[in-house]
Amino acid sequence: MNRLSVALRALVLFFSASFCLLAAAQMPVPPEVAARSYLLLDVTANQLLAQKDIDSPVEPASLTKLMSAYLVFDALKAKKISLTQTLPVSPRAWKMPGSRMFIDPKMQVPVEDLIKGLIVQSGNDATVALAEGVGGTVEHFVQLMNEQAKVLGMKNTSYKNPEGLTAPGHTTTARDLSILATRLMHDFPEYVQYYAIKKYRYPGTPSTNDTNRNLLLFRDPTVDGLKTGHTDAAGYCMIVTAKRDFPNLNGGRRLLSIVLGAASENARANESQKLLNWGYTAFDAVKLFDADQPAATPAVWKGKANTLKLGRPEAIVVSVPAGSASKIKTQVARPEPLVAPFTKNQQVGTLKVTLGDEPVAEVPLVALEAVEQAGILGRAWDAVRLWIK
């Protein structure tokens, strides 16, 4: 929780905008990545730095459990369940094949331990126990998963189960997984700390089954999540996020790597590490404006205030090829004239960022403060001024 930046906590306000792509002419060449598809996202800047086949359908394997966790965290946030509440282990959960936490029907397991079992052991038994505890039945929980995918904008995802075992039609894409992973970190900062746990086992279960399969948690101290997955059909998959200190960025700079269909457990870790290291060295993160700092203060008509402050509630950061920050140019695109009223956080314009003449990013700008409509005389006077203008 304490490792997430303020910028990440506010990310949902502009993640609904499309990914901002650096112009091909300016893009550093990414390393060779041995995977069916991959993606590297600068979460702090909300920019896609590298990609391959990110809209191709793939089997998510245990990366499915990110959505299962999303629904569990949402139920915790809504106080429908609690971390200390115990849940029964049904015969269905107990008999789940594949990765397991090794719980059985004689147990009543606290929700927090089931969450750790889902994340650290990638336990299919823990996942089903949580699905039944939150959704009543596995089938209803899967329905909730698909509904949530639509809400998040995961347009090419279809869930058939909560744990990720191979099933016809159980597919997603690298792009959709990046949306899910980013929203998970943003929406539930108090719970994503579980993804950094290196070792855990429930009392009475095998001591050999205690190690997180995310090898980068043990190799790279800046890595703090998120999830691995593997089936014969999916290959070896991995979603990794890291946060490293960076000049002029309070709270650090967060990157997210997704590698799907690697050849082995070690290969997915190596390829993910390769992408992260390349992203941090090939690109500079440049802060253009602080949180709540106006990027523009244009005139307002028919309002109680004469100007409108446009900016972001979080710092505006862009990623550019290393050494090219001096070439950044910005331009604000907005409606004209601006006629009150405006509500706080209402999107009003766009900050267009270019590198030389090449587009880098487009960042939605919102009203940092509300501007109420003026009285009858004020509106009438501005109406005359607008007509003359």
Side-chain angles (χ1 to χ4, degrees):
M1 169 166 59
N2 59 349
R3 306 182 70 184
L4 292 175
S5 66
V6 173
L8 178 60
R9 294 180 181 179
L11 185 61
V12 69
L13 291 175
F14 81 47
F15 199 81
S16 57
S18 299
F19 283 127
C20 301
L21 285 171
L22 289 172
Q26 299 289 340
M27 178 72 83
V29 178
E32 290 291 329
V33 177
R36 293 175 195 166
S37 64
Y38 69 82
L39 174 156
L40 181 66
L41 175 70
D42 187 322
V43 177
T44 303
N46 192 34
Q47 287 177 232
L48 196 57
L49 304 183
Q51 62 168 305
K52 174 188 175 185
D53 295 335
I54 63 172
D55 293 313
S56 297
V58 295
E59 288 198 27
S62 282
L63 302 184
T64 301
K65 294 183 175 80
L66 287 179
M67 179 59 82
S68 297
Y70 190 101
L71 293 181
V72 172
F73 295 158
D74 190 56
L76 285 167
K77 194 171 185 177
K79 302 189 183 303
K80 295 178 181 177
I81 58 173
S82 70
L83 288 173
T84 57
Q85 174 184 348
T86 60
L87 294 178
V89 180
S90 69
R92 181 173 183 172
W94 175 47
K95 294 178 181 178
M96 286 298 295
S99 301
R100 298 179 63 199
M101 181 186 177
F102 290 100
I103 49 178
D104 64 55
K106 297 187 296 293
M107 300 176 177
Q108 290 278 336
V109 186
V111 167
E112 185 170 25
D113 287 286
L114 290 171
I115 290 172
K116 293 176 181 177
L118 179 153
I119 292 171
V120 181
Q121 279 102 12
S122 197
N124 295 337
D125 48 0
T127 305
V128 168
L130 285 167
E132 292 173 334
V134 172
T137 65
V138 169
E139 289 71 24
H140 183 238
F141 189 81
V142 172
Q143 180 183 337
L144 296 176
M145 292 171 70
N146 285 305
E147 290 173 357
Q148 188 62 55
K150 291 180 180 178
V151 170
L152 296 180
M154 300 167 64
K155 299 178 181 178
N156 296 298
T157 295
S158 175
Y159 293 113
K160 301 299 181 183
N161 59 60
E163 77 286 336
L165 291 175
T166 297
H170 188 83
T171 58
T172 188
T173 66
R175 186 191 299 273
D176 281 3
L177 286 168
S178 70
I179 294 172
L180 173 58
T182 308
R183 284 295 302 270
L184 182 80
M185 291 188 291
H186 165 268
D187 293 350
F188 308 108
E190 65 271 44
Y191 300 126
V192 293
Q193 60 183 316
Y194 294 118
Y195 287 97
I197 296 174
K198 296 178 181 179
K199 289 182 177 289
Y200 164 81
R201 72 180 180 91
Y202 190 61
T205 63
S207 59
T208 54
N209 190 47
D210 69 346
T211 304
N212 196 313
R213 293 172 176 82
N214 183 351
L215 298 181
L216 293 192
L217 288 174
F218 302 88
R219 299 178 183 178
D220 184 340
T222 68
V223 167
D224 54 6
L226 273 169
K227 192 71 185 74
T228 64
H230 169 254
T231 62
D232 290 341
Y236 289 84
C237 306
M238 195 172 197
I239 298 180
V240 178
T241 184
K243 188 175 70 172
R244 299 183 185 178
D245 292 335
F246 208 81
N248 302 318
L249 288 184
N250 295 331
R253 179 187 183 195
R254 182 170 292 280
L255 298 187
L256 178 82
S257 166
I258 298 178
V259 170
L260 305 175
S264 68
E265 183 177 20
N266 204 46
R268 71 186 174 191
N270 291 340
E271 300 307 284
S272 298
Q273 185 78 78
K274 187 191 302 181
L275 273 174
L276 289 174
N277 290 343
W278 173 78
Y280 279 116
T281 57
F283 293 87
D284 289 337
V286 181
K287 183 169 66 175
L288 301 179
F289 297 95
D290 285 318
D292 293 319
Q293 178 185 0
T297 310
V300 172
W301 302 84
K302 301 184 181 182
K304 289 186 177 180
N306 295 324
T307 58
L308 178 66
K309 295 179 180 179
L310 301 181
R312 296 293 313 174
E314 70 283 342
I316 298 178
V317 179
V318 295
S319 268
V320 295
S324 65
S326 62
K327 300 178 183 178
I328 293 175
K329 299 177 183 178
T330 61
Q331 180 182 8
V332 175
R334 59 174 178 80
E336 178 64 36
L338 294 176
V339 181
F342 294 98
T343 59
K344 186 176 180 178
N345 292 326
Q346 177 183 342
Q347 184 176 338
V348 178
T350 302
L351 180 69
K352 296 186 176 182
V353 185
T354 58
L355 195 62
D357 295 325
E358 297 290 347
V360 172
E362 291 191 2
V363 181
L365 297 177
V366 301
L368 296 176
E369 298 173 352
V371 175
E372 296 180 7
Q373 197 174 53
I376 295 175
L377 291 178
R379 296 200 306 272
W381 172 242
D382 274 0
V384 172
R385 294 173 63 208
L386 278 170
W387 180 77
I388 296 173
K389 182 179 178 181

